[in-house]
Amino acid sequence: GASHELEQMQVRLPPSVLLYLSMACFLFTAGFLFLVFQALWISLVTAIPTMFLPRLLQVTVQKRRVHRFGLQLMDALDNMSQALKVGFSLQQAVELVAREMTPPINQEFKVMRHEMQLGMAIDKALENLHRRFPSEDMLLLASVGGVSKDVGGNLAEVFDNISLTMRGRIHIEEKIRELPWLESF
């Protein structure tokens, strides 16, 4: 719902504010149109689409944030892998991403770091991150992180492999978009 999407965007507005903004857009537009056309029904009907502007803005901002997060995730995994290879703990590697990278990934890793500081296991913190940013890449990271924790394994190598997989997928998607037969669709 709207509250989950607002949480994903790091927006601290109650969903009711979105409703109020929608009503304000409608009323402002209807009032303006009434002043211009002096026809109440035309003004009201014509103003209806403006009720959806706040929601459209919210969805647009959310999509950009999720896209940016996905692009940053590869670099975050690379940074965490390098940190683990030089002897950082997992907590320190998460802290490094939270401190050194830019929004939105640093904000999400701050949340993850805080969860881990409160005693949450890495697999649960990764599941929570996946819930906030549902994507195939985050599902892979959450799944592999949990399995690696359970059976043991080199997390640096796991992070490297996931980053490599993500980069390969993006490369293939770009190649597919370049195919000439897709231009007709």
Side-chain angles (χ1 to χ4, degrees):
S3 62
H4 174 72
E5 291 167 359
L6 288 170
E7 176 187 326
Q8 275 186 315
M9 295 176 358
Q10 294 284 317
V11 174
R12 303 289 184 233
L13 291 176
S16 59
V17 171
L18 195 60
L19 177 63
Y20 296 143
L21 288 172
S22 295
M23 290 183 345
C25 284
F26 171 75
L27 292 173
F28 176 78
T29 305
F32 176 76
L33 292 173
F34 181 73
L35 289 174
V36 172
F37 297 112
Q38 298 292 314
L40 181 63
W41 290 109
I42 292 173
S43 301
L44 292 175
V45 170
T46 307
I48 288 173
T50 63
M51 291 174 40
F52 302 101
L53 289 177
R55 177 76 173 132
L56 180 64
L57 179 63
Q58 174 193 15
V59 168
T60 302
V61 169
Q62 177 191 4
K63 284 183 180 181
R64 283 186 190 155
R65 183 175 169 81
V66 168
H67 178 73
R68 181 154 170 78
F69 178 89
L71 294 176
Q72 289 179 306
L73 185 58
M74 293 175 285
D75 292 333
L77 292 172
D78 291 341
N79 290 344
M80 290 177 61
S81 172
Q82 292 303 316
L84 291 170
K85 287 176 185 175
V86 297
F88 281 34
S89 69
L90 181 58
Q91 183 88 16
Q92 290 170 322
V94 170
E95 168 66 33
L96 177 73
V97 171
R99 188 180 60 245
E100 299 295 326
M101 293 192 72
T102 59
I105 200 144
N106 72 334
Q107 296 165 329
E108 295 303 323
F109 271 67
K110 285 176 184 175
V111 171
M112 194 166 78
R113 178 196 66 206
H114 182 69
E115 291 173 340
M116 292 169 62
Q117 286 172 338
L118 294 174
M120 186 178 289
I122 181 67
D123 57 330
K124 182 63 178 156
L126 287 170
E127 285 176 26
N128 289 344
L129 185 56
H130 174 250
R131 192 169 32 259
R132 291 190 301 272
F133 282 88
S135 70
E136 291 176 17
D137 297 328
M138 273 309 306
L139 177 61
L140 178 62
L141 179 59
S143 301
V144 172
V147 169
S148 180
K149 176 192 159 273
D150 291 340
V151 299
N154 183 346
L155 269 180
E157 188 176 318
V158 168
F159 293 154
D160 282 340
N161 288 336
I162 293 173
S163 176
L164 187 61
T165 301
M166 291 171 64
R167 290 179 200 286
R169 180 188 47 77
I170 289 172
H171 179 72
I172 289 170
E173 287 172 355
E174 288 172 353
K175 290 291 185 189
I176 289 172
R177 274 193 289 268
E178 293 172 3
L179 291 174
W181 58 272
L182 281 179
E183 291 174 6
S184 62
F185 289 106

